[in-house]
Amino acid sequence: QVQLVESGGGLVQAGESLRLSCVASGSIFSINGMSWYRQVPGKQRELVATISSGGSTNYADSVKGRFTISRDNAKNTVYLQMNSLKPEDTAVYYCRVIVSSRIYWGQGTQVTVSS
């Protein structure tokens, strides 16, 4: 079993920055893809950014140029650096990891951006 613990969410003003972290623990041999998703009430969860085991990254168009995903394989951790935050970035952010072809989700961390 794999557990994910997210941290770093909070309340900020538009234009400010936050850094989210997600640490994986448990029965881990190797982690494949690591991703961040977000969800607002009444809407589907959407992909924000993803990073492969080799370090290749992809971003949603809405966050390109503002958000950066990275990972530290030695620490089983994925990060999301969020700069120039906008009110429309307000959501619960979830990390998702793939371990041995199984998908695991974190519990979510709230990010609120005031205008």
Side-chain angles (χ1 to χ4, degrees), residues 54-106:
S56 298
T57 58
N58 280 293
Y59 298 91
D61 288 342
S62 59
V63 306
K64 281 182 181 176
R66 300 188 297 122
F67 290 11
T68 302
I69 189 171
S70 62
R71 62 191 286 171
D72 185 333
N73 293 326
K75 296 181 180 180
N76 292 332
T77 301
V78 60
Y79 305 97
L80 185 67
Q81 178 66 44
M82 305 186 293
N83 298 329
S84 302
L85 282 162
K86 304 176 181 180
E88 51 263 44
D89 295 318
T90 296
V92 177
Y93 284 71
Y94 298 89
C95 69
R96 187 191 84 156
V97 302
I98 301 174
V99 179
S100 301
S101 301
R102 296 187 65 179
I103 295 173
Y104 298 89
W105 290 91

Side-chain angles (χ1 to χ4, degrees), residues 3 7 15 23 37 48 53 57 70-71 73 89 106 113:
Q3 297 79 42
S7 61
V23 181
Y37 286 71
V48 175
S53 57
T57 58
S70 62
R71 62 191 286 171
N73 293 326
D89 295 318
V113 185

Side-chain angles (χ1 to χ4, degrees), residues 9-69:
L11 171 63
V12 297
Q13 293 188 330
E16 295 184 339
S17 299
L18 280 175
R19 188 193 195 204
L20 305 183
S21 301
C22 175
V23 181
S25 62
S27 303
I28 299 173
F29 177 68
S30 65
I31 300 177
N32 301 116
M34 306 181 84
S35 306
W36 287 96
Y37 286 71
R38 66 187 181 187
Q39 188 171 25
V40 298
K43 292 190 176 182
Q44 283 190 326
R45 193 170 295 187
E46 64 171 359
L47 176 65
V48 175
T50 188
I51 184 167
S52 71
S53 57
S56 298
T57 58
N58 280 293
Y59 298 91
D61 288 342
S62 59
V63 306
K64 281 182 181 176
R66 300 188 297 122
F67 290 11
T68 302
I69 189 171

